[in-house]
Amino acid sequence: MNAANPADLGGWLVYMLRCSDGSLYTGITTDIDRRIAEHGDSRGAKYCRGREPLELAYLESGHDRSSASRREAAIKALPRVAKERLIAEDRDPLGRDYQTGSSPAGSTEESP
């Protein structure tokens, strides 16, 4: 998996992972590939331990550290239905499947 270049994606990223228990985890990073790998290797957030991240459900770019942290907090405060709406409206622009680590052919692009 190639590392996402923060300069290409706008610096800091806000993301949501769908975990094996169906829950959503929200976080921030400058390198989404590295962070996904950390979560998968139990080196990421304690929340994801025992709840294997299955997919990158949402990715938002264009933040600096401060705005990413504010956006993360705002997303975490949303009810589940609003998080699912965000996911439905804006799929992963990188078009990658983090369960298999591959890009789909022809692709251009916390608590329950």
Side-chain angles (χ1 to χ4, degrees):
M1 208 179 302
N2 294 331
N5 183 343
D8 293 343
L9 296 174
W12 284 84
L13 307 168
V14 180
Y15 65 94
M16 279 192 275
L17 300 176
R18 190 174 307 277
C19 297
S20 60
D21 66 352
S23 65
L24 295 169
Y25 172 80
T26 305
I28 64 173
T29 188
T30 57
D31 185 337
I32 194 65
D33 289 327
R34 176 189 48 80
R35 195 66 179 137
I36 296 284
E38 288 172 350
H39 286 302
D41 294 340
S42 297
R43 293 179 290 129
K46 287 182 182 180
Y47 182 85
C48 292
R49 295 177 191 161
R51 294 178 178 95
E52 181 181 346
L54 296 180
E55 71 171 331
L56 177 62
Y58 179 79
L59 183 64
E60 187 176 290
S61 62
H63 292 280
D64 59 26
R65 167 77 177 176
S66 178
S67 69
S69 293
R70 287 191 306 271
R71 181 65 172 150
E72 174 190 23
I75 290 173
K76 285 181 174 182
L78 292 173
R80 172 76 182 220
V81 67
K83 291 176 186 178
E84 292 291 355
R85 192 175 313 119
L86 266 178
I87 292 166
E89 292 171 358
D90 187 51
R91 299 300 297 168
D92 171 22
L94 300 178
R96 289 182 279 190
D97 178 350
Y98 281 92
Q99 193 167 15
T100 63
S102 63
S103 295
S107 175
T108 57
E109 301 189 65
E110 294 101 277
S111 56

